[in-house]
């Protein structure tokens, strides 16, 4: 049979060229594997240009030359850009061999050229857009499921530790006993921060701790050996240092603003226990340390959320890990993202008593204000992270004789029931702030404490970005004024000038 454009068979034979489809596919896979230096088993139809680090622009040109040589086809310059996946290459080669006119598939716009005739589809807020692949976190927003590297967070929170989870995120697999011990020892040994960074923090005593953390992480970059060692071993050391030192930076600022000397990190304590020790300067109970350890596990990663995306955008330009982490912390602190954890406690304080919750929520909604700790871009059901957090907040609230806190939260949940039924449910921030409050953390430390937990996730995401980088650069659809003549200063604002005409058109 003759292959029509775009049609593919499995056992058929081309009339012209008399090649079995399997043969063409097999040869194509071999050419692609050889040109890109990848294994043939990793090739699939959707494998695309720049989806993997091996398929960069030079390798793409090399691949085109190999295709021309191997199949005797001709690939002109315009076509080169359209052959951007294994599937499109196969289609093009088959069409060429079948002597049908080559019909390379149209590619989506990749330049900000002339405005398209019809407005492009715009996904505001990039909602529902996949910008890359990942092997770190998988979120099922319909079923309310979150997995880190394939492990359910409910299992991790029940059985793992923060250190083990951090290792999992950073290395891709759970550690064995020796690996965990060595990773943990490295973290404990790396906790102390350079004195110079304390000098940066000291004058910022009145600043919000999130701002200080952002500044301090940025400052750490300047305190690196210069020029920075770019070897993989040095990169790993940087990741260990940042994971270990973010808690120390938060606690040091907290001490300095209370006119106390920062206490030294205690190498005998776990990551979570040591954080509580450095912040409160009293030994935490085992129970408090274990709760914070679990909160850190739940906070450790959450896919392509705004702060992680910001970090990956920064990294995609080749900025270093400090710059990218600074971008993450800056983005994280907004009230619609990590900042919500702090605002939930304000809501609890303003409500004051459980019986006032319903009226408070009614008023917020009447004023079209969002309820902090509710709603999520991805989840349409229970945020799976809230399950343990709710239990812990309830237990602590009663144990510590502050039942009002959980009872107010329960009353808010009840008042929000009509919204929850429409998919706006409790999110990760709703109970976590109350837990931190019950463990004596001041309200403005909630966001940086969340950042302490999130640090290994951010760093794992950065490793993934660096390993298979492409500059993240989407498009904007321009809807402003069309090309217009430039008016000299003296001409502007006069009746009849192009400026006043366009102003008149707008009002
Ligand atoms: N309170 C009241 N209404 C809410 C709400 C909330 N917390 N969250 C979402 N909604 C409403 C939206 O206003 C929207 O209504 P509309 O269709 O009439 O415009 C509808 O529910 C659907 O919103 P959705 O598209 O699912 O949310 P989003 O992706 O635009 O926003 C958040 C997600 C997180 C920014 C939003 O839920 C929010 O602001 N929550 C409060 C802050 C917070 O807790 N952030 C932490 C997130 S982990």
């Amino acid at each position: 049979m003759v292959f029509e454009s775009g049609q593919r068979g499995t056992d058929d034979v081309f009339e012209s060229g008399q090649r079995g489809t399997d043969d063409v596919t097999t040869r194509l896979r071999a050419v692609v594997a050889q040109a890109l230096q990848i294994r043939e088993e990793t090739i699939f139809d959707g494998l695309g240009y720049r989806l993997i680090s091996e398929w960069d622009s030079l390798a793409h040109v090399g691949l085109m030359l190999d295709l021309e040589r191997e199949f005797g086809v001709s690939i002109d310059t315009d076509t080169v850009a359209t052959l951007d996946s294994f599937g499109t290459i196969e289609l093009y080669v088959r069409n060429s061999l079948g002597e049908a006119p080559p019909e390379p598939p149209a590619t989506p716009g990749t330049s900000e050229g002339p405005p398209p005739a019809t407005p492009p589809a715009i996904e505001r807020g990039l909602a529902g857009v996949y910008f890359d692949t990942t092997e770190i976190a998988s979120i099922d927003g319909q079923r309310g499921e979150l997995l880190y590297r394939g492990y359910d967070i409910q299992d991790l929170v029940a059985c793992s530790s923060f250190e083990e989870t951090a290792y999992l995120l950073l290395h891709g697999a759970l550690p064995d006993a020796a690996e965990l011990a060595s990773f943990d020892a490295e973290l404990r040994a790396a906790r102390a921060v350079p004195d110079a960074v304390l000098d940066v923090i000291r004058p910022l005593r009145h600043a919000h701790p999130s701002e200080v953390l952002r500044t301090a992480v940025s400052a750490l970059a300047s305190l690196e050996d210069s020029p920075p060692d770019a070897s993989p071993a040095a990169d790993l050391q940087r990741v260990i240092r940042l994971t270990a030192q973010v808690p120390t930076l938060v606690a040091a600022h907290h001490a300095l603003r209370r006119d106390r000397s920062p206490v030294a990190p205690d190498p005998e304590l776990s990551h979570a226990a040591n954080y509580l020790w450095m912040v409160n300067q009293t030994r935490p109970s085992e129970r408090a340390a274990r709760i914070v350890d679990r909160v850190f596990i739940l906070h450790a990663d959450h896919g392509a959320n705004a702060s992680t995306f910001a970090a990956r955008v920064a990294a995609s330009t080749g900025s270093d890990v400090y710059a990218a982490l600074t971008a993450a912390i800056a983005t994280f602190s907004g009230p619609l993202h990590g900042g919500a954890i702090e605002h939930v406690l304000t809501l609890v304080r303003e409500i004051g008593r459980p019986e006032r919750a319903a009226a408070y929520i009614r008023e917020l909604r009447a004023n079209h204000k969002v309820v902090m700790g509710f709603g999520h871009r991805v989840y349409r059901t229970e945020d799976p992270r809230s399950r343990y957090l709710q239990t812990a907040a309830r237990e602590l609230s009663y144990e510590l004789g502050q039942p009002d806190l959980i009872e107010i939260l329960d009353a808010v949940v009840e008042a929000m029931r009509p919204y929850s039924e429409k998919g706006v449910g409790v999110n990760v921030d709703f109970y976590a702030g109350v837990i931190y409050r019950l463990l004596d953390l001041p309200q403005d430390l909630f966001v940086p404490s969340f950042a302490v937990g999130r640090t290994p996730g951010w760093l794992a995401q950065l490793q993934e970005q660096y390993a298979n980088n492409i500059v993240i650069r989407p498009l904007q659809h321009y809807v402003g004024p069309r090309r217009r003549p430039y008016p000299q200063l003296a001409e502007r604002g006069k009746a009849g000038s192009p400026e006043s005409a366009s102003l008149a058109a707008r009002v």
Side-chain angles (χ1 to χ4, degrees), residues 335-338 340 365 369-378 380 383 385 416 419 423-424 427-429:
L336 299 186
H337 190 13
R365 297 309 297 140
K369 291 194 177 147
V370 290
V371 181
M372 291 294 161
F374 273 81
H376 200 276
R377 179 55 71 76
V378 179
R380 288 293 162 258
D383 180 333
R385 299 167 295 177
M416 285 293 286
Y419 301 94
V424 180
N427 64 41
V428 68
D429 295 310

PDB file of all heavy atoms in Angstrom, residues 335-338 340 365 369-378 380 383 385 416 419 423-424 427-429, ligand 1:
ATOM      1  N   PRO A 335       0.916  36.684  50.228  1.00  0.00           N
ATOM      2  CA  PRO A 335      -0.210  36.105  50.983  1.00  0.00           C
ATOM      3  C   PRO A 335      -1.033  35.073  50.217  1.00  0.00           C
ATOM      4  O   PRO A 335      -1.726  34.268  50.831  1.00  0.00           O
ATOM      5  CB  PRO A 335      -1.076  37.321  51.343  1.00  0.00           C
ATOM      6  CG  PRO A 335      -0.628  38.418  50.449  1.00  0.00           C
ATOM      7  CD  PRO A 335       0.799  38.135  50.079  1.00  0.00           C
ATOM      8  N   LEU A 336      -0.957  35.083  48.882  1.00  0.00           N
ATOM      9  CA  LEU A 336      -1.713  34.071  48.145  1.00  0.00           C
ATOM     10  C   LEU A 336      -0.936  32.762  48.026  1.00  0.00           C
ATOM     11  O   LEU A 336      -1.445  31.770  47.522  1.00  0.00           O
ATOM     12  CB  LEU A 336      -2.094  34.584  46.746  1.00  0.00           C
ATOM     13  CG  LEU A 336      -2.976  35.831  46.733  1.00  0.00           C
ATOM     14  CD1 LEU A 336      -3.409  36.172  45.323  1.00  0.00           C
ATOM     15  CD2 LEU A 336      -4.199  35.666  47.637  1.00  0.00           C
ATOM     16  N   HIS A 337       0.320  32.779  48.483  1.00  0.00           N
ATOM     17  CA  HIS A 337       1.157  31.563  48.427  1.00  0.00           C
ATOM     18  C   HIS A 337       1.537  31.204  49.862  1.00  0.00           C
ATOM     19  O   HIS A 337       0.661  31.090  50.717  1.00  0.00           O
ATOM     20  CB  HIS A 337       2.346  31.860  47.511  1.00  0.00           C
ATOM     21  CG  HIS A 337       3.201  30.690  47.131  1.00  0.00           C
ATOM     22  ND1 HIS A 337       2.851  29.382  47.335  1.00  0.00           N
ATOM     23  CD2 HIS A 337       4.434  30.637  46.511  1.00  0.00           C
ATOM     24  CE1 HIS A 337       3.804  28.578  46.881  1.00  0.00           C
ATOM     25  NE2 HIS A 337       4.777  29.320  46.389  1.00  0.00           N
ATOM     26  N   GLY A 338       2.822  31.091  50.171  1.00  0.00           N
ATOM     27  CA  GLY A 338       3.241  30.680  51.514  1.00  0.00           C
ATOM     28  C   GLY A 338       2.796  31.652  52.597  1.00  0.00           C
ATOM     29  O   GLY A 338       2.610  31.267  53.759  1.00  0.00           O
ATOM     30  N   ALA A 340       0.103  32.813  53.237  1.00  0.00           N
ATOM     31  CA  ALA A 340      -1.228  32.530  53.797  1.00  0.00           C
ATOM     32  C   ALA A 340      -1.125  31.907  55.186  1.00  0.00           C
ATOM     33  O   ALA A 340      -2.003  32.113  56.034  1.00  0.00           O
ATOM     34  CB  ALA A 340      -1.992  31.603  52.857  1.00  0.00           C
ATOM     35  N   ARG A 365     -16.879  37.242  52.361  1.00  0.00           N
ATOM     36  CA  ARG A 365     -17.382  36.884  51.040  1.00  0.00           C
ATOM     37  C   ARG A 365     -18.199  38.015  50.433  1.00  0.00           C
ATOM     38  O   ARG A 365     -18.148  38.247  49.229  1.00  0.00           O
ATOM     39  CB  ARG A 365     -18.188  35.573  51.087  1.00  0.00           C
ATOM     40  CG  ARG A 365     -17.409  34.350  51.494  1.00  0.00           C
ATOM     41  CD  ARG A 365     -16.134  34.163  50.690  1.00  0.00           C
ATOM     42  NE  ARG A 365     -16.385  33.940  49.280  1.00  0.00           N
ATOM     43  CZ  ARG A 365     -15.656  34.453  48.301  1.00  0.00           C
ATOM     44  NH1 ARG A 365     -14.644  35.245  48.567  1.00  0.00           N
ATOM     45  NH2 ARG A 365     -15.948  34.208  47.056  1.00  0.00           N
ATOM     46  N   LYS A 369     -13.664  38.996  49.413  1.00  0.00           N
ATOM     47  CA  LYS A 369     -12.295  38.692  49.872  1.00  0.00           C
ATOM     48  C   LYS A 369     -12.140  37.183  50.012  1.00  0.00           C
ATOM     49  O   LYS A 369     -13.110  36.490  50.361  1.00  0.00           O
ATOM     50  CB  LYS A 369     -12.048  39.355  51.226  1.00  0.00           C
ATOM     51  CG  LYS A 369     -11.968  40.865  51.123  1.00  0.00           C
ATOM     52  CD  LYS A 369     -11.398  41.443  52.390  1.00  0.00           C
ATOM     53  CE  LYS A 369     -11.258  42.939  52.271  1.00  0.00           C
ATOM     54  NZ  LYS A 369     -11.459  43.621  53.533  1.00  0.00           N
ATOM     55  N   VAL A 370     -10.921  36.695  49.739  1.00  0.00           N
ATOM     56  CA  VAL A 370     -10.690  35.258  49.881  1.00  0.00           C
ATOM     57  C   VAL A 370     -10.469  34.916  51.346  1.00  0.00           C
ATOM     58  O   VAL A 370     -10.052  35.759  52.145  1.00  0.00           O
ATOM     59  CB  VAL A 370      -9.478  34.765  49.056  1.00  0.00           C
ATOM     60  CG1 VAL A 370      -9.770  34.813  47.568  1.00  0.00           C
ATOM     61  CG2 VAL A 370      -8.218  35.519  49.409  1.00  0.00           C
ATOM     62  N   VAL A 371     -10.771  33.660  51.675  1.00  0.00           N
ATOM     63  CA  VAL A 371     -10.557  33.174  53.045  1.00  0.00           C
ATOM     64  C   VAL A 371      -9.200  32.482  53.067  1.00  0.00           C
ATOM     65  O   VAL A 371      -8.973  31.511  52.330  1.00  0.00           O
ATOM     66  CB  VAL A 371     -11.685  32.194  53.441  1.00  0.00           C
ATOM     67  CG1 VAL A 371     -11.474  31.696  54.869  1.00  0.00           C
ATOM     68  CG2 VAL A 371     -13.036  32.867  53.269  1.00  0.00           C
ATOM     69  N   MET A 372      -8.316  32.996  53.892  1.00  0.00           N
ATOM     70  CA  MET A 372      -6.957  32.442  53.938  1.00  0.00           C
ATOM     71  C   MET A 372      -6.988  30.988  54.425  1.00  0.00           C
ATOM     72  O   MET A 372      -7.739  30.657  55.342  1.00  0.00           O
ATOM     73  CB  MET A 372      -6.074  33.276  54.868  1.00  0.00           C
ATOM     74  CG  MET A 372      -5.785  34.633  54.299  1.00  0.00           C
ATOM     75  SD  MET A 372      -4.779  34.437  52.801  1.00  0.00           S
ATOM     76  CE  MET A 372      -5.050  35.998  52.011  1.00  0.00           C
ATOM     77  N   GLY A 373      -6.137  30.161  53.794  1.00  0.00           N
ATOM     78  CA  GLY A 373      -6.106  28.749  54.192  1.00  0.00           C
ATOM     79  C   GLY A 373      -7.111  27.906  53.439  1.00  0.00           C
ATOM     80  O   GLY A 373      -7.233  26.706  53.705  1.00  0.00           O
ATOM     81  N   PHE A 374      -7.830  28.517  52.507  1.00  0.00           N
ATOM     82  CA  PHE A 374      -8.774  27.780  51.663  1.00  0.00           C
ATOM     83  C   PHE A 374      -8.420  27.989  50.198  1.00  0.00           C
ATOM     84  O   PHE A 374      -7.947  29.058  49.812  1.00  0.00           O
ATOM     85  CB  PHE A 374     -10.212  28.269  51.884  1.00  0.00           C
ATOM     86  CG  PHE A 374     -10.889  27.567  53.017  1.00  0.00           C
ATOM     87  CD1 PHE A 374     -10.638  27.979  54.324  1.00  0.00           C
ATOM     88  CD2 PHE A 374     -11.731  26.492  52.798  1.00  0.00           C
ATOM     89  CE1 PHE A 374     -11.230  27.323  55.387  1.00  0.00           C
ATOM     90  CE2 PHE A 374     -12.332  25.833  53.853  1.00  0.00           C
ATOM     91  CZ  PHE A 374     -12.084  26.245  55.152  1.00  0.00           C
ATOM     92  N   GLY A 375      -8.731  26.983  49.394  1.00  0.00           N
ATOM     93  CA  GLY A 375      -8.574  27.106  47.947  1.00  0.00           C
ATOM     94  C   GLY A 375      -7.184  26.710  47.494  1.00  0.00           C
ATOM     95  O   GLY A 375      -6.205  26.792  48.262  1.00  0.00           O
ATOM     96  N   HIS A 376      -7.127  26.248  46.273  1.00  0.00           N
ATOM     97  CA  HIS A 376      -5.846  25.842  45.707  1.00  0.00           C
ATOM     98  C   HIS A 376      -5.965  25.772  44.200  1.00  0.00           C
ATOM     99  O   HIS A 376      -7.011  25.385  43.688  1.00  0.00           O
ATOM    100  CB  HIS A 376      -5.417  24.482  46.257  1.00  0.00           C
ATOM    101  CG  HIS A 376      -3.961  24.236  46.098  1.00  0.00           C
ATOM    102  ND1 HIS A 376      -3.427  23.745  44.930  1.00  0.00           N
ATOM    103  CD2 HIS A 376      -2.930  24.479  46.930  1.00  0.00           C
ATOM    104  CE1 HIS A 376      -2.123  23.674  45.074  1.00  0.00           C
ATOM    105  NE2 HIS A 376      -1.785  24.115  46.269  1.00  0.00           N
ATOM    106  N   ARG A 377      -4.903  26.155  43.503  1.00  0.00           N
ATOM    107  CA  ARG A 377      -4.915  26.101  42.049  1.00  0.00           C
ATOM    108  C   ARG A 377      -5.075  24.672  41.540  1.00  0.00           C
ATOM    109  O   ARG A 377      -5.677  24.434  40.501  1.00  0.00           O
ATOM    110  CB  ARG A 377      -3.608  26.724  41.533  1.00  0.00           C
ATOM    111  CG  ARG A 377      -3.394  26.765  40.047  1.00  0.00           C
ATOM    112  CD  ARG A 377      -4.496  27.444  39.279  1.00  0.00           C
ATOM    113  NE  ARG A 377      -4.627  28.871  39.400  1.00  0.00           N
ATOM    114  CZ  ARG A 377      -3.870  29.798  38.834  1.00  0.00           C
ATOM    115  NH1 ARG A 377      -2.831  29.443  38.120  1.00  0.00           N
ATOM    116  NH2 ARG A 377      -4.143  31.066  38.975  1.00  0.00           N
ATOM    117  N   VAL A 378      -4.539  23.708  42.264  1.00  0.00           N
ATOM    118  CA  VAL A 378      -4.499  22.338  41.746  1.00  0.00           C
ATOM    119  C   VAL A 378      -5.548  21.420  42.385  1.00  0.00           C
ATOM    120  O   VAL A 378      -6.190  20.629  41.704  1.00  0.00           O
ATOM    121  CB  VAL A 378      -3.083  21.732  41.947  1.00  0.00           C
ATOM    122  CG1 VAL A 378      -3.031  20.310  41.428  1.00  0.00           C
ATOM    123  CG2 VAL A 378      -2.038  22.582  41.223  1.00  0.00           C
ATOM    124  N   ARG A 380      -8.924  20.011  43.836  1.00  0.00           N
ATOM    125  CA  ARG A 380     -10.378  20.221  43.784  1.00  0.00           C
ATOM    126  C   ARG A 380     -11.047  19.430  44.894  1.00  0.00           C
ATOM    127  O   ARG A 380     -12.253  19.292  44.957  1.00  0.00           O
ATOM    128  CB  ARG A 380     -10.928  19.798  42.412  1.00  0.00           C
ATOM    129  CG  ARG A 380     -10.542  20.782  41.319  1.00  0.00           C
ATOM    130  CD  ARG A 380     -11.235  22.151  41.543  1.00  0.00           C
ATOM    131  NE  ARG A 380     -10.606  23.225  40.799  1.00  0.00           N
ATOM    132  CZ  ARG A 380      -9.782  24.127  41.313  1.00  0.00           C
ATOM    133  NH1 ARG A 380      -9.449  24.086  42.588  1.00  0.00           N
ATOM    134  NH2 ARG A 380      -9.271  25.084  40.588  1.00  0.00           N
ATOM    135  N   ASP A 383      -6.822  18.922  50.339  1.00  0.00           N
ATOM    136  CA  ASP A 383      -5.364  18.998  50.175  1.00  0.00           C
ATOM    137  C   ASP A 383      -4.787  17.886  51.063  1.00  0.00           C
ATOM    138  O   ASP A 383      -4.990  17.904  52.280  1.00  0.00           O
ATOM    139  CB  ASP A 383      -4.890  20.393  50.641  1.00  0.00           C
ATOM    140  CG  ASP A 383      -3.391  20.585  50.510  1.00  0.00           C
ATOM    141  OD1 ASP A 383      -2.640  19.598  50.567  1.00  0.00           O
ATOM    142  OD2 ASP A 383      -2.970  21.759  50.386  1.00  0.00           O
ATOM    143  N   ARG A 385      -2.121  17.232  52.337  1.00  0.00           N
ATOM    144  CA  ARG A 385      -1.206  17.644  53.407  1.00  0.00           C
ATOM    145  C   ARG A 385      -1.956  18.065  54.651  1.00  0.00           C
ATOM    146  O   ARG A 385      -1.412  18.098  55.748  1.00  0.00           O
ATOM    147  CB  ARG A 385      -0.318  18.794  52.912  1.00  0.00           C
ATOM    148  CG  ARG A 385       0.533  18.401  51.717  1.00  0.00           C
ATOM    149  CD  ARG A 385       1.169  19.587  51.046  1.00  0.00           C
ATOM    150  NE  ARG A 385       0.197  20.484  50.455  1.00  0.00           N
ATOM    151  CZ  ARG A 385       0.483  21.631  49.862  1.00  0.00           C
ATOM    152  NH1 ARG A 385       1.742  22.012  49.796  1.00  0.00           N
ATOM    153  NH2 ARG A 385      -0.454  22.389  49.331  1.00  0.00           N
ATOM    154  N   MET A 416     -17.459  27.442  55.677  1.00  0.00           N
ATOM    155  CA  MET A 416     -16.974  27.368  54.291  1.00  0.00           C
ATOM    156  C   MET A 416     -17.512  26.136  53.565  1.00  0.00           C
ATOM    157  O   MET A 416     -17.161  25.910  52.400  1.00  0.00           O
ATOM    158  CB  MET A 416     -15.436  27.331  54.277  1.00  0.00           C
ATOM    159  CG  MET A 416     -14.779  28.664  54.580  1.00  0.00           C
ATOM    160  SD  MET A 416     -15.091  29.895  53.282  1.00  0.00           S
ATOM    161  CE  MET A 416     -14.034  29.310  51.972  1.00  0.00           C
ATOM    162  N   TYR A 419     -18.617  26.296  49.999  1.00  0.00           N
ATOM    163  CA  TYR A 419     -17.518  26.520  49.046  1.00  0.00           C
ATOM    164  C   TYR A 419     -16.693  25.238  48.874  1.00  0.00           C
ATOM    165  O   TYR A 419     -16.249  24.923  47.772  1.00  0.00           O
ATOM    166  CB  TYR A 419     -16.610  27.658  49.522  1.00  0.00           C
ATOM    167  CG  TYR A 419     -17.354  28.954  49.688  1.00  0.00           C
ATOM    168  CD1 TYR A 419     -17.872  29.342  50.916  1.00  0.00           C
ATOM    169  CD2 TYR A 419     -17.582  29.798  48.594  1.00  0.00           C
ATOM    170  CE1 TYR A 419     -18.587  30.516  51.061  1.00  0.00           C
ATOM    171  CE2 TYR A 419     -18.290  30.981  48.722  1.00  0.00           C
ATOM    172  CZ  TYR A 419     -18.791  31.331  49.967  1.00  0.00           C
ATOM    173  OH  TYR A 419     -19.500  32.492  50.102  1.00  0.00           O
ATOM    174  N   GLY A 423     -15.270  22.738  45.580  1.00  0.00           N
ATOM    175  CA  GLY A 423     -13.860  22.520  45.280  1.00  0.00           C
ATOM    176  C   GLY A 423     -12.899  23.493  45.948  1.00  0.00           C
ATOM    177  O   GLY A 423     -11.702  23.440  45.711  1.00  0.00           O
ATOM    178  N   VAL A 424     -13.434  24.426  46.765  1.00  0.00           N
ATOM    179  CA  VAL A 424     -12.527  25.345  47.477  1.00  0.00           C
ATOM    180  C   VAL A 424     -12.397  24.834  48.915  1.00  0.00           C
ATOM    181  O   VAL A 424     -13.146  25.222  49.803  1.00  0.00           O
ATOM    182  CB  VAL A 424     -13.068  26.795  47.454  1.00  0.00           C
ATOM    183  CG1 VAL A 424     -12.116  27.734  48.185  1.00  0.00           C
ATOM    184  CG2 VAL A 424     -13.255  27.267  46.017  1.00  0.00           C
ATOM    185  N   ASN A 427      -6.580  24.154  52.666  1.00  0.00           N
ATOM    186  CA  ASN A 427      -5.264  23.862  52.080  1.00  0.00           C
ATOM    187  C   ASN A 427      -4.206  23.701  53.169  1.00  0.00           C
ATOM    188  O   ASN A 427      -4.525  23.765  54.368  1.00  0.00           O
ATOM    189  CB  ASN A 427      -4.879  24.923  51.031  1.00  0.00           C
ATOM    190  CG  ASN A 427      -4.719  26.315  51.630  1.00  0.00           C
ATOM    191  OD1 ASN A 427      -4.160  26.467  52.719  1.00  0.00           O
ATOM    192  ND2 ASN A 427      -5.196  27.330  50.917  1.00  0.00           N
ATOM    193  N   VAL A 428      -2.977  23.551  52.744  1.00  0.00           N
ATOM    194  CA  VAL A 428      -1.876  23.222  53.663  1.00  0.00           C
ATOM    195  C   VAL A 428      -1.678  24.272  54.758  1.00  0.00           C
ATOM    196  O   VAL A 428      -1.173  23.982  55.841  1.00  0.00           O
ATOM    197  CB  VAL A 428      -0.575  23.021  52.842  1.00  0.00           C
ATOM    198  CG1 VAL A 428      -0.119  24.339  52.228  1.00  0.00           C
ATOM    199  CG2 VAL A 428       0.535  22.420  53.658  1.00  0.00           C
ATOM    200  N   ASP A 429      -2.078  25.515  54.470  1.00  0.00           N
ATOM    201  CA  ASP A 429      -1.791  26.602  55.413  1.00  0.00           C
ATOM    202  C   ASP A 429      -2.800  26.706  56.545  1.00  0.00           C
ATOM    203  O   ASP A 429      -2.565  27.419  57.520  1.00  0.00           O
ATOM    204  CB  ASP A 429      -1.755  27.941  54.655  1.00  0.00           C
ATOM    205  CG  ASP A 429      -0.606  27.977  53.668  1.00  0.00           C
ATOM    206  OD1 ASP A 429       0.515  27.666  54.082  1.00  0.00           O
ATOM    207  OD2 ASP A 429      -0.844  28.281  52.494  1.00  0.00           O
TER     208      ASP A 429
HETATM  209  N1  LIG B   1     -11.937  31.965  49.604  1.00  0.00           N
HETATM  210  C1  LIG B   1     -13.037  32.241  48.899  1.00  0.00           C
HETATM  211  N2  LIG B   1     -13.182  31.980  47.597  1.00  0.00           N
HETATM  212  C2  LIG B   1     -12.164  31.381  46.984  1.00  0.00           C
HETATM  213  C3  LIG B   1     -11.006  31.032  47.664  1.00  0.00           C
HETATM  214  C4  LIG B   1     -10.904  31.356  49.023  1.00  0.00           C
HETATM  215  N3  LIG B   1      -9.828  31.076  49.730  1.00  0.00           N
HETATM  216  N4  LIG B   1     -10.168  30.438  46.807  1.00  0.00           N
HETATM  217  C5  LIG B   1     -10.777  30.420  45.628  1.00  0.00           C
HETATM  218  N5  LIG B   1     -11.974  30.986  45.728  1.00  0.00           N
HETATM  219  C6  LIG B   1     -12.918  31.198  44.652  1.00  0.00           C
HETATM  220  C7  LIG B   1     -12.264  32.078  43.599  1.00  0.00           C
HETATM  221  O1  LIG B   1     -12.456  33.463  43.929  1.00  0.00           O
HETATM  222  C8  LIG B   1     -12.954  31.645  42.362  1.00  0.00           C
HETATM  223  O2  LIG B   1     -14.214  32.275  42.329  1.00  0.00           O
HETATM  224  P1  LIG B   1     -14.769  32.841  40.941  1.00  0.00           P
HETATM  225  O3  LIG B   1     -14.875  31.633  40.053  1.00  0.00           O
HETATM  226  O4  LIG B   1     -16.064  33.433  41.322  1.00  0.00           O
HETATM  227  O5  LIG B   1     -13.760  33.823  40.458  1.00  0.00           O
HETATM  228  C9  LIG B   1     -13.192  30.166  42.574  1.00  0.00           C
HETATM  229  O6  LIG B   1     -13.133  29.976  43.992  1.00  0.00           O
HETATM  230  C10 LIG B   1     -12.220  29.264  41.903  1.00  0.00           C
HETATM  231  O7  LIG B   1     -10.926  29.671  42.242  1.00  0.00           O
HETATM  232  P2  LIG B   1      -9.664  28.882  41.657  1.00  0.00           P
HETATM  233  O8  LIG B   1      -9.552  29.182  40.212  1.00  0.00           O
HETATM  234  O9  LIG B   1      -9.793  27.473  42.047  1.00  0.00           O
HETATM  235  O10 LIG B   1      -8.506  29.501  42.482  1.00  0.00           O
HETATM  236  P3  LIG B   1      -7.200  30.227  41.938  1.00  0.00           P
HETATM  237  O11 LIG B   1      -6.323  29.220  41.295  1.00  0.00           O
HETATM  238  O12 LIG B   1      -7.531  31.422  41.155  1.00  0.00           O
HETATM  239  O13 LIG B   1      -6.550  30.713  43.312  1.00  0.00           O
HETATM  240  C11 LIG B   1      -5.555  30.614  45.418  1.00  0.00           C
HETATM  241  C12 LIG B   1      -5.908  29.822  44.157  1.00  0.00           C
HETATM  242  C13 LIG B   1      -4.710  29.724  46.312  1.00  0.00           C
HETATM  243  C14 LIG B   1      -4.745  31.847  45.036  1.00  0.00           C
HETATM  244  C15 LIG B   1      -6.877  31.028  46.100  1.00  0.00           C
HETATM  245  O14 LIG B   1      -7.582  29.873  46.430  1.00  0.00           O
HETATM  246  C16 LIG B   1      -6.641  31.882  47.322  1.00  0.00           C
HETATM  247  O15 LIG B   1      -6.439  33.087  47.209  1.00  0.00           O
HETATM  248  N6  LIG B   1      -6.650  31.270  48.563  1.00  0.00           N
HETATM  249  C17 LIG B   1      -6.407  32.013  49.756  1.00  0.00           C
HETATM  250  C18 LIG B   1      -4.908  32.155  49.999  1.00  0.00           C
HETATM  251  C19 LIG B   1      -4.282  30.851  50.388  1.00  0.00           C
HETATM  252  O16 LIG B   1      -4.729  30.159  51.290  1.00  0.00           O
HETATM  253  N7  LIG B   1      -3.165  30.535  49.705  1.00  0.00           N
HETATM  254  C20 LIG B   1      -2.389  29.357  49.979  1.00  0.00           C
HETATM  255  C21 LIG B   1      -2.478  28.379  48.874  1.00  0.00           C
HETATM  256  S1  LIG B   1      -1.646  26.881  49.300  1.00  0.00           S
END
